[in-house]
Amino acid sequence: MKKFTLSALVAAMAIAGTAQAGVTDKDILNDQMTTGDVLTYGMGLRGQRYSPMDKINTETVKDMRPVWAFSFGGEKQRGQESQPMVKDGVMYVTASYSRVFAVDTKTGEELWEYNARLPDGIMPCCDVINRGVALYDDLVIFGTLDAKLVALNNKTGKVVWKKTVEDYKAGYSITAAPMIVKGKVITGVSGGEFGIVGKVEAYDAKTGKIAWTRPTVEGHMGYIWKNGKKMENGISGGEAGKTWPGDLWKSGGAATWLGGTYDADVDLLFFGTGNPAPWNSHLRPGDNLFSSSRLAIDPDTGKISWHFQTTPHDGWDYDGVNELVSFDYKEGGKTVKAAATADRNGFMYVLNRENGDFIRGFPFVDEITWAKGLDPKTGRPIYDEAFRPGNPADSKDGKKGSSVHAVPGFLGGKNWMPISYSQDTGLFYVPSNEWAMDIWNEPTAYKKGAAYLGAGFTIKPMNDDYIGVMRAMDPKTGKEVWRYKNYSPLWGGVLSTKGNLVFFGTPEGYLLGLDAKNGEVKYKFNTGSGIVGSPITWEQDGSQYLSVVSGWGGAVPLWGGEVAKRVKHLNQGGTVWTFKLP
């Protein structure tokens, strides 16, 4: 590791003479429409990942070229799912194994580097990834694989405060970028495969003092801190075990592993929750709230304002963690305050973000077997029980239930990779995958820190020539407007711009720029390693820049079964690529 004093000196020299204004709550709220920086994960708290810049457009993008590439270095070259942030000529970007880098945006030179000291016993389910930082005042805040929040000084990379969010020995970790709302750091937790209890927590951004905690499994008590005193703040769901049998709610999963979005119009945080634990649904009859759901949470108190469950009594690991993106549209002369989400289960949902009411839902993948459709009034799935994995207790030896061929596979019609909403086209751009799985249930019991699945599975491609599909979806009609097919699964985020472009990367290493209206390829550049990060764009010295992190990894090569064979030749990496027009 480089000597810290030298890194700090370089940073101070590089930043000397540059106006360094602290990031304010107002800056964060305005992030989507300010082009000189990128201050939030999602390029705006709503998570629309849309930029009003158009210097790079369908006519000029052919001339876009790399201006620098920054390597994360060392042997830790895998699973780079980060979205960079940019402020005052400095990029703050995380890398695998809980690292943070500050980089000069003009030259690509490193200003400082922070490496979290991780214990040997971390248990990340889905690779050693990190998706990004939060910026506030003069702090760079991020979560670690051993479930800590760390705040660094933005000029030196030195630790200002550090808090343990949960016990990594129980299976907890943090992989998502935290979010800043009203001076609080809002974070979720990972670990649903270990029978943890999901939760959302808020900390004072400047001091790291906890403000409130909200468990996302029904029956657990929430807490709020007033004048330094911990006070009970109501049981999530109102009473213990109502939609859970026995004591299973005590290790119920529902991890909040993707982080959240926020909408100032309704003053609500939106978090998705993961699978109930264990995967074997026959062990836990009931809806198993609040797993596989979207939750609206009051940012001041941590109270749950409303919930919408996409897969009640989930038996396929479909989760419900995917981001809920706020948007407005006109219908009958009125503005509808909506929010949309593309679920792992293969359905896309449009909800009223004020109260969680179901507006409409529709498939965004070519085939769904586990459900016959959605109830048109409530959005609740109409199950086809023939496609629920069988109960091991019904088998001759009690060791393995009947296997089913379910579509989509458990990695989902869309997994973690963020969608984008264009204010120009009114379309959502959804990175999706066409795959199926054979899945069966097995007996299991909870043991702290051990995998808690009770299921076996293998995931399979559905087509010889493609798995990944970038789709343009109309949220008002449920219709697919265009698609772009990719041989390997898509596993990175999307950016749309006023330049009528949609940018995303592929596991083959290509950064692609497509026409937002028809999907025609306008730009293609190979970064040398698979892209599983999320692109950003910003303006500097009159030029529009675009950056994306390249570095193959994530869940697909680890969990992909037959699919993993299709991508086994792909090279790992760890590089930030930055582009502009000449």
Side-chain angles (χ1 to χ4, degrees):
M1 182 177 162
K2 302 174 185 70
K3 285 198 174 171
F4 180 80
T5 50
L6 181 61
S7 292
L9 179 64
V10 172
M13 290 170 64
I15 294 171
T18 306
Q20 283 277 304
V23 176
T24 66
D25 290 297
K26 185 178 179 183
D27 293 337
I28 290 167
L29 281 172
N30 292 336
D31 187 40
Q32 179 159 324
M33 299 313 293
T34 55
T35 57
D37 49 34
V38 178
L39 303 178
T40 56
Y41 185 81
M43 296 190 63
L45 289 173
R46 288 178 158 190
Q48 291 185 350
R49 296 184 178 274
Y50 166 85
S51 171
M53 281 184 282
D54 61 2
K55 287 181 179 174
I56 298 172
N57 55 51
T58 48
E59 299 301 315
T60 62
V61 71
K62 66 181 183 297
D63 297 320
M64 188 175 78
R65 58 200 61 181
V67 289
W68 55 260
F70 173 80
S71 172
F72 295 139
E75 298 173 1
K76 299 172 180 177
Q77 298 282 326
R78 84 176 211 227
Q80 313 299 351
E81 291 187 1
S82 183
Q83 179 218 292
M85 303 287 193
V86 172
K87 178 75 167 78
D88 293 334
V90 181
M91 176 181 289
Y92 304 95
V93 59
T94 60
S96 54
Y97 293 95
S98 305
R99 294 173 290 162
V100 184
F101 295 85
V103 183
D104 187 306
T105 53
K106 280 190 179 178
T107 64
E109 289 182 54
E110 180 179 310
L111 303 177
W112 55 255
E113 174 183 352
Y114 174 82
N115 281 264
R117 291 180 180 174
L118 297 172
D120 292 335
I122 57 170
M123 292 180 281
C125 104
C126 307
D127 212 359
V128 287
I129 61 100
N130 187 283
R131 298 193 177 98
V133 304
L135 302 179
Y136 192 68
D137 196 31
D138 61 351
L139 299 176
V140 180
I141 305 167
F142 83 115
T144 67
L145 288 168
D146 59 343
K148 290 183 173 71
L149 277 179
V150 183
L152 308 172
N153 179 278
N154 65 0
K155 297 175 186 66
T156 66
K158 280 189 173 179
V159 175
V160 177
W161 58 257
K162 186 188 292 186
K163 295 291 174 181
T164 297
V165 175
E166 258 300 348
D167 179 8
Y168 73 89
K169 292 177 183 175
Y172 285 92
S173 58
I174 299 176
T175 52
M179 174 172 49
I180 306 287
V181 174
K182 300 182 181 180
K184 296 186 186 80
V185 188
I186 315 292
T187 184
V189 292
S190 304
E193 273 59 60
F194 298 97
I196 57 97
V197 173
K199 60 180 181 175
V200 179
E201 292 194 335
Y203 295 80
D204 183 289
K206 290 189 178 181
T207 66
K209 287 183 179 176
I210 191 165
W212 53 257
T213 178
R214 173 53 51 190
T216 53
V217 176
E218 180 185 75
H220 292 273
M221 176 61 71
Y223 294 92
I224 191 166
W225 279 256
K226 292 184 177 176
N227 301 318
K229 291 185 179 179
K230 181 180 181 180
M231 303 170 67
E232 290 189 349
N233 196 27
I235 292 175
S236 299
E239 57 187 281
K242 189 176 180 184
T243 62
W244 290 84
D247 286 345
L248 279 170
W249 59 279
K250 292 180 179 177
S251 52
T256 47
W257 58 264
L258 194 55
T261 56
Y262 171 74
D263 184 75
D265 286 352
V266 295
D267 191 23
L268 290 171
L269 306 167
F270 299 125
F271 269 78
T273 61
N275 56 282
W279 286 19
N280 181 346
S281 62
H282 299 283
L283 293 174
R284 44 172 174 77
D287 282 358
N288 311 134
L289 291 173
F290 291 99
S291 68
S292 303
S293 299
R294 305 304 185 284
L295 304 181
I297 299 174
D298 184 318
D300 299 317
T301 66
K303 290 281 183 79
I304 296 174
S305 296
W306 57 256
H307 77 276
F308 181 86
Q309 192 172 36
T310 48
T311 314
H313 196 217
D314 183 356
W316 304 267
D317 186 41
Y318 283 148
D319 268 36
V321 80
N322 291 358
E323 70 283 7
L324 188 64
V325 178
S326 299
F327 73 109
D328 296 339
Y329 69 92
K330 290 277 198 298
E331 191 166 79
K334 292 182 178 178
T335 297
V336 179
K337 289 187 186 301
T341 187
D343 200 89
R344 289 252 293 261
N345 70 20
F347 289 102
M348 193 164 180
Y349 300 82
V350 179
L351 308 177
N352 181 317
R353 68 177 184 267
E354 296 175 291
N355 54 26
D357 285 354
F358 175 74
I359 296 175
R360 68 183 64 88
F362 41 86
F364 66 94
V365 293
D366 291 337
E367 187 179 346
I368 294 173
T369 62
W370 65 277
K372 299 172 183 177
L374 302 177
D375 182 292
K377 290 184 178 177
T378 65
R380 189 180 177 92
I382 303 163
Y383 288 112
D384 189 335
E385 289 298 336
F387 289 93
R388 182 180 292 274
N391 189 349
D394 297 336
S395 66
K396 287 182 181 179
D397 60 5
K399 291 181 180 178
K400 181 180 175 180
S402 56
S403 178
V404 298
H405 183 74
V407 186
F410 72 89
L411 288 176
K414 185 188 90 72
N415 199 278
W416 79 274
M417 50 280 192
I419 59 179
S420 174
Y421 173 74
S422 169
Q423 298 180 3
D424 305 312
T425 64
L427 301 176
F428 278 91
Y429 301 98
V430 181
S432 62
N433 291 304
E434 298 288 341
W435 40 28
M437 66 179 169
D438 292 333
I439 183 170
W440 57 91
N441 285 326
E442 300 164 348
T444 189
Y446 174 74
K447 182 183 176 184
K448 180 180 175 180
Y452 188 41
L453 298 184
F457 46 81
T458 181
I459 196 162
K460 303 175 178 180
M462 295 176 67
N463 304 285
D464 291 335
D465 54 338
Y466 68 96
I467 296 175
V469 186
M470 181 60 66
R471 288 174 157 95
M473 301 294 300
D474 187 330
K476 293 196 282 187
T477 65
K479 295 287 190 291
E480 179 186 296
V481 176
W482 56 256
R483 66 168 59 186
Y484 172 88
K485 295 189 287 193
N486 196 70
Y487 178 70
S488 297
L490 295 180
W491 208 255
V494 190
L495 166 71
S496 59
T497 73
K498 196 169 184 66
N500 190 39
L501 288 166
V502 175
F503 290 100
F504 62 99
T506 72
E508 291 86 351
Y510 286 102
L511 172 67
L512 293 173
L514 273 53
D515 187 302
K517 291 175 182 169
N518 59 31
E520 183 183 340
V521 177
K522 295 291 186 180
Y523 187 79
K524 192 173 184 179
F525 177 88
N526 198 317
T527 63
S529 181
I531 296 174
V532 292
S534 299
I536 61 163
T537 187
W538 77 96
E539 193 169 24
Q540 187 169 319
D541 300 330
S543 293
Q544 183 179 351
Y545 286 75
L546 186 142
S547 278
V548 70
V549 180
S550 166
W552 173 237
V556 175
L558 297 177
W559 292 74
E562 294 294 313
V563 170
K565 294 177 183 176
R566 192 175 285 200
V567 296
K568 69 179 186 295
H569 65 286
L570 299 177
N571 294 321
Q572 295 179 352
T575 303
V576 185
W577 284 89
T578 297
F579 304 81
K580 66 188 274 287
L581 297 174

